[in-house]
Each structure stands twice: as C-alpha cells, then as structure tokens.
Amino acid sequence: MKCPFCSSENTRVIDSRPADDNNSIRRRRLCDECGKRFTTYEKVETIPLIVIKKDNNREQYDRTKIEAGILRACHKRPISVNRINQLIDDVETEIFNREEKEIPSSVIGEIVMDKLKDLEAVAYVRFASVYREFKDVNTFMNELKKILDK
C-alpha cells in the first residue's frame, strides 16, 4: 500500500478491525519512510452478474426470480423449506462459480432443472413444463418418459 503523504511503498499494518458496517476491514497503517499513520478500508470486490434473457435483453441477476420459480414448482410437494433453500443456494453457487460476467437465462434454467431432478420428480416436471414451454401433451409425455427411463 502506497503512503498518501510521501508515496513510499514501505508501509505496514499496525491494527485491523471490522469497520462499522461489518462489510469491510479498517486497517491502520504506518509508513516506514515518513513515520505518518493513515487508515485504509478493505472491501470484497463483487462483480455484478448480468443475465441474458431469451429475447437478448440483459438484466442484473436476481436471486428472488430463481426462488419464485422453484417455490412454484415445489408448491404442495413434500419438500422441506430447508431443502428448497439448500437447492437455491446450490444453484446460486454453481452460477457464481462459473466466474462469468454474463450468463444466459437458459443456462440458469438447465442448472435449476438438473438440481430439481435430483430433489423431486413432480417439482422437476412442473418447472420443466413452464421453462421448456411444453406446447402439447406429447412434449409433456416425452419429458416424463426421460424421467421414467432413469
């Protein structure tokens, strides 16, 4: 860290503590060259994730949209809230582990379906029917056959 007074790069941390907002670290530093003290704040850098929709519009990632879709799919199914929250966390972790700045909504949908398939078959089919926009009963039956074959 460069000293703001003499521009020396010879500085050291003499005290660290959480800042008032608990979202950053406050560090007191001492310049070895001029002997002056100064304060720096260290904060986690977050990269905003942009979702590319089917119509090529872009919008900022919103966890509540995934929650809403999964909750609709799991409505009146014997799935605990803890398992649903864990599934949402798993989806979000997989999305952010890709370390991409933009992600197509279709990729998010496939991740959700993959996780729902392991959780509960009816919830999976409900989500898939909306996500894949089943046009008729035959498309619906084809998806059911895939599940039954496994």
Side-chain angles (χ1 to χ4, degrees):
M1 178 65 62
K2 203 180 255 190
C3 174
F5 304 106
C6 70
S7 296
S8 169
E9 292 185 13
N10 260 351
T11 65
R12 58 189 152 115
V13 175
I14 54 175
D15 182 42
S16 279
R17 64 179 73 170
D20 294 334
D21 62 359
N22 255 351
N23 289 324
S24 56
I25 301 285
R26 179 182 183 271
R27 298 197 193 280
R28 286 295 290 158
R29 295 179 178 268
L30 174 67
C31 176
D32 291 335
E33 296 293 317
C34 68
K36 293 195 177 183
R37 293 177 180 213
F38 59 98
T39 303
T40 60
Y41 291 89
E42 185 178 310
K43 197 172 194 172
V44 173
E45 183 180 17
T46 55
I47 301 167
L49 182 64
I50 303 299
V51 177
I52 304 168
K53 307 297 280 182
K54 288 179 186 176
D55 61 1
N56 276 335
N57 281 335
R58 285 165 165 73
E59 63 182 47
Q60 197 160 358
Y61 169 78
D62 185 1
R63 177 186 168 106
T64 57
K65 290 188 174 189
I66 293 174
E67 285 176 354
I70 291 173
L71 286 172
R72 258 182 266 122
C74 295
H75 185 68
K76 293 188 178 181
R77 299 303 308 152
I79 306 168
S80 72
V81 173
N82 288 341
R83 288 182 69 196
I84 292 172
N85 286 332
Q86 183 61 52
L87 181 120
I88 295 166
D89 290 343
D90 291 347
V91 168
E92 194 168 61
T93 300
E94 190 168 328
I95 290 168
F96 282 103
N97 280 346
R98 292 171 172 259
E99 296 180 3
E100 295 172 358
K101 293 179 182 176
E102 293 185 335
I103 186 168
S105 61
S106 58
V107 172
I108 296 173
E110 292 298 327
I111 292 169
V112 171
M113 284 197 306
D114 189 48
K115 304 276 184 207
L116 274 173
K117 195 182 293 184
D118 297 336
L119 182 69
E120 219 264 347
V122 173
Y124 164 75
V125 171
R126 283 179 177 171
F127 188 89
S129 68
V130 173
Y131 173 72
R132 291 213 172 116
E133 299 172 347
F134 292 165
K135 302 287 186 240
D136 55 25
V137 178
N138 291 330
T139 331
F140 196 81
M141 288 303 293
N142 290 339
E143 196 64 37
L144 287 174
K145 285 176 187 171
K146 289 180 192 174
I147 294 173
L148 293 173
D149 290 340
K150 292 179 182 180

